[in-house]
Amino acid sequence: MSTLFAKLDQMINNSLYENLLLTGIVTRLACYPQPLLRSFLLNTQMVFHPSVRSLYQVFVLENDAFVLRCDCFHAAGLLPLRT
């Protein structure tokens, strides 16, 4: 899981093909008939040990990185402002 999460950490820098493969793997794991695995991947309310990351935490960090990158492009005048 740590390798998968490390790859997901780089979603912004990955190609579309890589991201499709990664999301396909996550989808297959979430559909696997194992309640503990499904809960680990999809439950956003679970509390983990500080050294254990959840899929939700990975996506929140990726979203923040994406917003920061977009804001940098807006500040540089490379993208139109959001309405």
Side-chain angles (χ1 to χ4, degrees), residues 66-82:
F66 179 73
V67 168
L68 182 63
R69 183 176 280 188
C70 286
D71 287 343
C72 289
F73 281 123
H74 289 297
L78 298 173
L79 290 176
L81 293 175
R82 293 177 248 163

Side-chain angles (χ1 to χ4, degrees), residues 14 16 23 31 33 38 40 51 53 56 60 74 79:
N14 292 343
L16 176 63
T23 53
C31 292
R38 185 177 297 153
F40 175 72
S51 65
R53 296 188 315 163
Y56 179 73
V60 166
H74 289 297
L79 290 176

Side-chain angles (χ1 to χ4, degrees), residues 30-44:
C31 292
Y32 193 74
Q34 179 59 257
L36 188 58
L37 179 61
R38 185 177 297 153
S39 183
F40 175 72
L41 290 173
L42 301 178
N43 188 349
T44 61

